[in-house]
Amino acid sequence: MSDPPNEEGRVEPRRRISGHNGVIFSIYHYEQKGILASASDDRSLRVWNVGDLTDCDPDVQCLLVLYGHQARVWSVRLLPDVIISIGEDSACIVWSYTGDIIHNFKGHKGRGIRAVAVQDKLGLVATGGADSGIRLWQIHKTPSSNSNLLNLNFDASKKIGVPKAITLADINCLVVMTDLGFICTYNFITKQWIVVLEDQSYKSYGLLEVTRLGDSILCAIGNITGSIKIFSLSSALTCKAFKQHEGKVHSLTWVTSSAQTSSDTCSLFSSGPNGVIVWLEVSCISGDITMVTEKCRFRLPNSKQRWHTSIAFVPAEGLIVCGDRRGSLVLFPMEDSNKCIKDESLPSTNNLESSDPDGQELEPIHVLFGLHGKLGVTSVVYHKGFVYSSGRDGCYRQLKLEGRQLVILRKLKSCKGMEWIECVSFTPDGDLQVLGFHSTDFVVWSTRTNEKLCSVPCGGGHRSWSYKKEGPMEVFTYIKSGDVFTHRSQRIETIQNVLKDSLHGRELTSVKYVGTIDNSSQERLDVLITSSEDTTVNIWAYNRRTKLLHCLSTISDHLSSVKTLALARTKCQDNVLSTLLVTAGGRAQIEGYRLLIQDKEGDGTGTCQVIHIASHRLDEHWDRIRNKHRMLKIDPETRYLSVAAVDEIPSSSKTPSSRVFLAAACSDGSVRCELSIHTPLYVYIAYIE
């Protein structure tokens, strides 16, 4: 029963609880524990001790103030062991009653999670998002990651110098090079530092690269005089030392791939003055380096900063893809000169043949100059017929080889604001992961799930760092203020079931039907394309037999909302559906793509290859033609609202047209007619008002 009303007929509150600095969106009372939780506009949760609500004058105390959401908190639930909250940041957070975050579930897109349901006995949480998706999560009673940031207390008092370069040989072994030419290792199990090598010729300036070959850990170091030393950590005293360059060694890179002729060999690439790259093949048996052979020499194109930063083999084509400090991708032929290298550590009477220092260097067969800007290429990977490169321009690119030339397919970005991409890599199950620095954190970003798999607060980018993951254990280490710091965590994989997949994070703006393809299992797939206010375009395959909708690819090149879509030259040949896709929307931006859709595997899902062929923005167009004397400025809010694509009528049947006409209706009251030639895009604009 309620309390009696006052003279005005209203029931007065027994107690007012204050503490939040914004609107309270949700409260939840847990009667068995006598506590109340509230979720607020101020991005916080608060847990109150209210006792028995039947008491006339309850003594209310604030037990917890929880901050973890990046936006408003919509709702909260209290369970016997944990607290669950959902928010506008599309996160579902599971808290302990001590205030620690046990899980931070992410997977929804767009404007947040709006609904939550809990089954405590089974440990299940169901969330419904503004993206129309429904996801089911498994609650673990223990934290999803057991992590800490450790200072390894590198002891500089032993007169071995200050750490200058580090790399992880594996998750239990760290290799450090100091400014006095010492090579040290740290064992994370025994927690001991060991000096394995000392060479005064490598002090002040030295490069360090480490790789694992079978059971052996190989190290390579280079110095300012052009000398290189290669050794195994298990037998560092029997190292191979030789002078490879007539000047500073700018970079060293180990490469292991199927291009190697034996499982006991791997390749080492070194860059010296004048853009010379030397390819060495190193043989190691039972921890002993038996032979070092010079395979070939290359020469990079002219530039101010002329050394390689990354190497990838393309064995099927007999090619090597090289990324350099100027931001270019360079293609070299994979030739073999097989010259043995003279070991400087051996007496002059040894019978090894010395390499010719004036040997001819191979020139590039193709160059994409400055592709990643002046800050350089950071990584190159070859995977399943495609080349992937990353750079400090904040982008990673997908390329393919056509006629011994690199062709750019797509320019992509990872999470918003991640401008410092250090490398891209593939997991054994094919997930492309992007590693880099986002604000003050080191981040591992999954392109498959579009979420951060790992985030380590480290203060921002570091000149020397290393990351390794083996099974659930992952290790990140870096140098800061003359000391070595390490973050070790053991991630428990989140059990997530998508009960209903989301189309987009915000409202849909356009839908186009492309066509139908058949696979080897005689299943029919209908291909659809959708665009949204969330700035993305999705390509979907609908399986008529299973009634399932599968996302083939997501395009995220637009700066603002995508308002309209247009298709041209759609055809299906040999069960390969191809079409020219034009997308247009906010910021007066138009993008053009060639789509190739098929179902090779016959699994009823299909694959889509997206080739970016054209791009145009009105503001960039006016800047390019320097129309300043007319003082004509483009309103940044100008947007395309509708676009149509029509093939040009050929002048004769013998000369088919390669051009497509575009007509775009714009928010400024104009209709713009554009002539698009596949690559590149030339635009001639006419106004119809």
Side-chain angles (χ1 to χ4, degrees):
M1 297 179 62
S2 63
D3 293 341
N6 58 14
E7 296 178 352
E8 298 178 355
R10 299 178 180 178
V11 177
E12 295 183 354
R14 296 182 180 180
R15 184 73 178 268
R16 292 185 182 272
I17 305 173
S18 60
H20 285 290
N21 295 318
V23 177
I24 297 176
F25 293 112
S26 171
I27 60 173
Y28 190 90
H29 180 234
Y30 190 20
E31 185 176 0
Q32 286 79 359
K33 287 193 174 186
I35 56 176
L36 179 76
S38 55
S40 171
D41 180 72
D42 63 3
R43 305 184 180 187
S44 75
L45 300 170
R46 291 177 185 258
V47 179
W48 314 85
N49 181 13
V50 296
D52 188 355
L53 293 182
T54 60
D55 292 343
C56 295
D57 189 16
D59 182 18
V60 179
Q61 296 178 345
C62 184
L63 301 178
L64 288 173
V65 179
L66 306 177
Y67 283 97
H69 285 276
Q70 304 301 313
R72 293 179 289 183
V73 187
W74 294 131
S75 186
V76 60
R77 294 288 187 274
L78 296 176
L79 302 180
D81 300 316
V82 295
I83 305 168
I84 297 174
S85 62
I86 58 172
E88 194 178 24
D89 57 354
S90 297
C92 174
I93 299 181
V94 181
W95 311 77
S96 69
Y97 276 97
T98 59
D100 297 323
I101 294 179
I102 299 176
H103 299 290
N104 191 345
F105 296 134
K106 289 186 177 180
H108 288 278
K109 306 174 185 177
R111 293 182 171 178
I113 301 175
R114 294 289 185 172
V116 61
V118 180
Q119 222 300 334
D120 181 49
K121 292 182 180 179
L122 299 177
L124 297 176
V125 177
T127 55
D131 59 356
S132 75
I134 302 174
R135 294 175 183 256
L136 189 66
W137 312 85
Q138 178 74 51
I139 304 176
H140 299 287
K141 301 302 182 181
T142 57
S144 58
S145 64
N146 181 16
S147 63
N148 51 7
L149 185 64
L150 302 175
N151 184 339
L152 299 186
N153 297 316
F154 186 84
D155 191 0
S157 63
K158 296 180 180 179
K159 298 182 180 180
I160 59 176
V162 178
K164 288 298 181 183
I166 59 172
T167 186
L168 287 163
D170 53 42
I171 61 172
N172 292 318
C173 180
L174 173 66
V175 185
V176 178
M177 186 177 191
T178 73
D179 61 348
L180 294 183
F182 287 84
I183 304 296
C184 308
T185 62
Y186 181 81
N187 190 302
F188 288 100
I189 298 176
T190 62
K191 303 186 184 305
Q192 290 182 344
W193 287 99
I194 300 175
V195 177
V196 297
L197 186 69
E198 175 190 359
D199 193 331
Q200 293 296 316
S201 63
Y202 289 84
K203 68 179 182 180
S204 298
Y205 176 84
L207 300 177
L208 171 68
E209 285 294 323
V210 178
T211 189
R212 177 174 282 278
L213 184 63
D215 295 330
S216 303
I217 298 174
L218 300 184
C219 298
I221 55 177
N223 66 9
I224 201 167
T225 64
S227 296
I228 295 175
K229 185 174 286 188
I230 304 174
F231 58 92
S232 170
L233 283 184
S234 60
S235 56
L237 297 180
T238 59
C239 60
K240 301 290 184 181
F242 45 88
K243 187 175 177 63
Q244 196 64 34
H245 299 280
E246 297 299 325
K248 180 180 180 180
V249 180
H250 290 285
S251 60
L252 293 170
T253 303
W254 287 104
V255 182
T256 56
S257 75
S258 58
Q260 307 303 143
T261 57
S262 170
S263 60
D264 297 326
T265 63
C266 60
S267 294
L268 176 68
F269 290 83
S270 64
S271 284
N274 303 317
V276 175
I277 302 176
V278 180
W279 173 17
L280 305 177
E281 186 174 80
V282 181
S283 299
C284 179
I285 300 176
S286 300
D288 294 327
I289 298 175
T290 57
M291 183 177 293
V292 179
T293 306
E294 181 178 313
K295 302 287 286 184
C296 194
R297 289 183 175 233
F298 311 98
R299 187 177 293 274
L300 290 169
N302 288 328
S303 64
K304 184 177 179 180
Q305 296 170 311
R306 200 176 175 191
W307 61 86
H308 85 274
T309 56
S310 53
I311 297 284
F313 285 124
V314 187
E317 303 289 339
L319 299 171
I320 294 175
V321 183
C322 171
D324 69 7
R325 180 58 179 80
R326 179 55 183 83
S328 306
L329 287 183
V330 186
L331 203 59
F332 291 106
M334 190 186 296
E335 296 189 7
D336 191 346
S337 60
N338 284 322
K339 296 179 181 179
C340 293
I341 306 301
K342 181 175 180 179
D343 188 351
E344 289 183 349
S345 64
L346 297 176
S348 59
T349 57
N350 73 81
N351 58 1
L352 290 180
E353 179 185 352
S354 175
S355 65
D356 182 7
D358 299 322
Q360 184 178 1
E361 295 90 10
L362 295 179
E363 298 291 333
I365 60 176
H366 185 239
V367 179
L368 292 176
F369 186 77
L371 181 67
H372 283 279
K374 294 184 178 181
L375 295 178
V377 177
T378 55
S379 70
V380 177
V381 177
Y382 179 73
H383 181 74
K384 291 187 176 180
F386 295 100
V387 175
Y388 298 84
S389 65
S390 65
R392 289 182 181 169
D393 58 348
C395 300
Y396 64 98
R397 289 170 170 84
Q398 182 188 29
L399 308 96
K400 68 175 181 178
L401 286 165
E402 286 187 358
R404 296 171 74 85
Q405 288 191 345
L406 288 168
V407 178
I408 303 172
L409 300 181
R410 297 184 69 183
K411 175 183 175 182
L412 302 162
K413 287 197 171 187
S414 56
C415 59
K416 186 177 180 182
M418 187 172 173
E419 299 297 333
W420 191 326
I421 297 179
E422 284 289 356
C423 70
V424 293
S425 63
F426 282 88
T427 61
D429 61 351
D431 182 18
L432 175 60
Q433 295 184 350
V434 181
L435 282 67
F437 294 94
H438 183 205
S439 184
T440 60
D441 298 343
F442 170 78
V443 170
V444 179
W445 174 266
S446 170
T447 59
R448 175 182 294 169
T449 60
N450 290 322
E451 64 177 331
K452 294 179 182 179
L453 301 179
C454 174
S455 182
V456 181
C458 61
H462 296 276
R463 186 177 297 274
S464 185
W465 61 274
S466 186
Y467 171 82
K468 288 285 185 182
K469 184 178 186 298
E470 296 179 11
M473 179 63 71
E474 54 188 352
V475 183
F476 171 70
T477 183
Y478 59 96
I479 296 175
K480 183 178 181 181
S481 302
D483 216 331
V484 181
F485 293 85
T486 296
H487 176 275
R488 292 172 63 87
S489 64
Q490 186 168 359
R491 189 193 314 157
I492 299 175
E493 297 296 332
T494 300
I495 300 176
Q496 175 189 171
N497 294 315
V498 180
L499 302 184
K500 180 178 179 292
D501 204 352
S502 59
L503 292 178
H504 286 276
R506 294 185 60 184
E507 299 86 348
L508 270 68
T509 56
S510 182
V511 179
K512 290 290 182 181
Y513 172 74
V514 183
T516 302
I517 57 175
D518 297 319
N519 62 19
S520 57
S521 303
Q522 301 302 315
E523 291 182 316
R524 307 204 74 182
L525 303 179
D526 294 315
V527 180
L528 307 169
I529 303 177
T530 60
S531 63
S532 170
E533 291 282 349
D534 65 1
T535 74
T536 65
V537 176
N538 286 341
I539 298 99
W540 304 88
Y542 175 72
N543 190 310
R544 295 188 182 182
R545 182 182 63 84
T546 63
K547 309 298 183 184
L548 295 177
L549 191 65
H550 177 68
C551 184
L552 302 180
S553 184
T554 299
I555 299 173
S556 308
D557 293 334
H558 278 265
L559 300 175
S560 186
S561 61
V562 185
K563 295 293 186 181
T564 181
L565 304 172
L567 301 175
R569 298 192 175 172
T570 302
K571 62 180 180 181
C572 186
Q573 186 175 2
D574 298 328
N575 283 330
V576 178
L577 185 63
S578 65
T579 187
L580 177 66
L581 170 66
V582 179
T583 65
R587 303 288 183 91
Q589 181 179 359
I590 296 179
E591 303 290 338
Y593 306 90
R594 168 66 63 187
L595 306 182
L596 300 175
I597 305 158
Q598 57 185 325
D599 188 9
K600 278 185 178 180
E601 305 296 331
D603 55 3
T605 57
T607 60
C608 177
Q609 180 180 339
V610 180
I611 305 172
H612 187 254
I613 59 175
S615 180
H616 181 260
R617 286 175 56 192
L618 277 182
D619 54 352
E620 293 179 350
H621 173 70
W622 288 118
D623 289 341
R624 188 162 52 248
I625 66 176
R626 299 188 182 280
N627 197 24
K628 297 178 181 178
H629 63 283
R630 294 177 59 183
M631 301 301 291
L632 181 59
K633 302 295 182 182
I634 297 297
D635 183 355
E637 297 300 322
T638 302
R639 56 199 179 276
Y640 290 113
L641 300 177
S642 181
V643 65
V646 181
D647 283 343
E648 180 189 23
I649 300 176
S651 57
S652 66
S653 59
K654 296 182 180 180
T655 57
S657 172
S658 62
R659 298 184 293 186
V660 174
F661 285 101
L662 300 179
C666 208
S667 63
D668 61 359
S670 301
V671 175
R672 291 176 168 85
C673 300
E674 306 175 356
L675 175 61
S676 168
I677 301 178
H678 286 182
T679 307
L681 178 65
Y682 301 95
V683 179
Y684 305 89
I685 298 181
Y687 295 95
I688 306 172
E689 301 192 19

